[in-house]
Amino acid sequence: MDAPITTGGGGTCVVGEFVWDVVLWRRGRADVSACLLAATAASWLLFYGTGRGYTALSLASDVLLLLLTVLFLWAKAARLLNRPAPPVPAMRVPQRAVDEAAVLLRAALDAACSGFHDIAMGRDSLLFCRTFLCLWAVSIVGSLTDFPTFCYASIVAALTLPALYQKYQECVDTYMRFAYMNLRMYEMVYERFSMKCFVRVRDWVMEVLKDP
């Protein structure tokens, strides 16, 4: 379970290991996982739980407006009072980070386009079945809830269920085997009952057809 994720590219491997560590709360990434989970819960409460009608755009605008106003007034007051300016670092996006993000995005889009082409041309039946089931499940879930709530629930599930399963794997596997055995038993009972009903209906139909 703790084996590192290996992929074709070095950057993709590092990103995959980081994401897997965050999901499983291991290798010193527990603080990142906790912050991400807390931010998700807080944002959901802010947008949907308080009833104040916040949206992502309005919240970002208010926060940026407050931040820029404070920094602007601070800089003006510091210049008038001959005090140090606010400690705002020079913010620039590294070209390497942009190139790595572009490479990852291109690889993901290429894989999606390749899979779509294979399905459209009828080349991969297994991929078609998986995609069909995934889209069908998303359609059912989408009819029950809205997209933002589904995204929040997915993030919370991704940050909790894998870690809980890794911690209680033996107990979960025991219960799953027990549930599978019960399901198989009920399936055998249902098959026997269905066969008996089919035989009775068939005999009854044959008797009806024999009568003049």
Side-chain angles (χ1 to χ4, degrees), residues 18 26 30 35 39 65 71 88-89 109 111 115 150 168 176 180 191:
F18 176 79
R26 66 182 185 183
C35 292
L65 178 62
L71 292 176
V88 180
L109 291 177
F150 173 73
Y168 303 103
M176 289 298 293
Y180 177 75
E191 289 179 355

Side-chain angles (χ1 to χ4, degrees), residues 12-114:
T12 306
C13 179
V14 173
V15 173
E17 290 181 356
F18 176 79
V19 172
W20 199 241
D21 292 339
V22 171
V23 169
L24 295 179
W25 299 56
R26 66 182 185 183
R27 295 180 185 175
R29 308 296 184 183
D31 52 348
V32 180
S33 305
C35 292
L36 186 58
L37 184 60
T40 302
S43 59
W44 186 88
L45 290 175
L46 182 64
F47 294 143
Y48 297 95
T50 59
R52 298 184 62 180
Y54 275 115
T55 61
L57 183 60
S58 63
L59 180 63
S61 300
D62 292 341
V63 171
L64 288 176
L65 178 62
L66 179 61
L67 179 62
L68 291 176
T69 302
V70 171
L71 292 176
F72 179 79
L73 295 178
W74 186 355
K76 287 294 185 181
R79 185 175 301 174
L80 293 175
L81 300 175
N82 196 17
R83 303 292 295 176
V88 180
M91 293 176 289
R92 288 182 175 85
V93 180
Q95 184 64 33
R96 181 179 179 182
V98 176
D99 294 339
E100 291 180 356
V103 170
L104 293 176
L105 180 60
R106 182 176 180 274
L109 291 177
D110 284 343
C113 293
S114 177

Side-chain angles (χ1 to χ4, degrees), residues 9 37 42 52 55 68 100 130 134 145-146 150 155 157 159 174 186 190:
L37 184 60
R52 298 184 62 180
T55 61
L68 291 176
E100 291 180 356
R130 292 178 178 175
C134 291
T145 182
D146 54 352
F150 173 73
I155 294 174
L159 290 174
T174 301
Y186 290 133
Y190 174 76

Side-chain angles (χ1 to χ4, degrees), residues 111-175:
C113 293
S114 177
F116 179 83
H117 185 267
D118 291 341
I119 293 175
M121 299 301 294
R123 297 175 180 173
D124 197 338
S125 301
L126 182 60
L127 181 60
F128 168 74
C129 294
R130 292 178 178 175
T131 307
F132 179 84
L133 292 177
C134 291
L135 293 177
W136 185 41
V138 170
S139 177
I140 294 176
V141 174
S143 63
L144 299 177
T145 182
D146 54 352
F147 181 72
T149 304
F150 173 73
C151 292
Y152 287 126
S154 300
I155 294 174
V156 173
L159 290 174
T160 54
L161 294 182
L164 291 175
Y165 175 74
Q166 186 189 34
K167 186 175 182 179
Y168 303 103
Q169 183 175 1
E170 295 182 359
C171 183
V172 173
D173 291 343
T174 301
Y175 280 108

